[in-house]
Amino acid sequence: SSGINAEWPLRPGEEMIQILKIRAQIEGLVIDEDSLQCLGDIGVKTTLRYAVQLLTPAHLLSKINGRDAIHKEDVEEIADLFYDAKTSAKVLTSEKDKYLH
């Protein structure tokens, strides 16, 4: 086998999903396909690095919720939390004169 995948070119996010799947396996995380798709969509809109950074907190949230596998709702909740924090930080930075004295 030449190692070339006959399915290239991949749809946007497909390569990212494969990378996320490998990264989850390396970290010993169990994640379902819906969650991987959701992370892939997030990665397409942001960056692969950002999507990878969501894996561990999503795993922790799944554990808190009594599950062994990361579910889509874990990914969505963590993504919302991180996005809100990022947005808040941008607002504070751009309007720091109003808040910092």
Side-chain angles (χ1 to χ4, degrees), residues 32-50:
D32 64 24
E33 289 300 318
D34 284 347
S35 301
L36 282 169
Q37 186 65 54
C38 184
L39 279 171
D41 293 344
I42 290 167
V44 168
K45 292 175 193 161
T46 58
T47 63
L48 173 61
R49 177 182 289 203
Y50 181 73

Side-chain angles (χ1 to χ4, degrees), residues 3-101:
I4 297 174
N5 185 336
E7 297 178 41
W8 292 81
L10 296 173
R11 294 189 319 263
E14 285 294 315
E15 188 174 9
M16 205 168 284
I17 289 168
Q18 292 304 314
I19 294 167
L20 287 161
K21 186 184 283 190
I22 292 166
R23 186 64 185 259
Q25 288 171 344
I26 289 169
E27 293 185 24
L29 308 178
V30 180
I31 184 166
D32 64 24
E33 289 300 318
D34 284 347
S35 301
L36 282 169
Q37 186 65 54
C38 184
L39 279 171
D41 293 344
I42 290 167
V44 168
K45 292 175 193 161
T46 58
T47 63
L48 173 61
R49 177 182 289 203
Y50 181 73
V52 167
Q53 287 176 334
L54 297 178
L55 276 171
T56 299
H59 170 71
L60 294 173
L61 184 61
S62 71
K63 288 283 188 207
I64 289 167
N65 290 326
R67 292 190 297 272
D68 291 329
I70 298 169
H71 288 202
K72 185 178 177 184
E73 56 265 25
D74 301 318
V75 172
E76 291 172 338
E77 187 172 341
I78 291 299
D80 287 346
L81 279 171
F82 274 66
Y83 182 78
D84 289 346
K86 205 172 186 180
T87 303
S88 298
K90 279 185 182 173
V91 169
L92 284 173
T93 302
S94 67
E95 300 182 13
K96 63 184 173 222
D97 296 340
K98 293 182 184 175
Y99 303 104
L100 303 173
H101 296 284

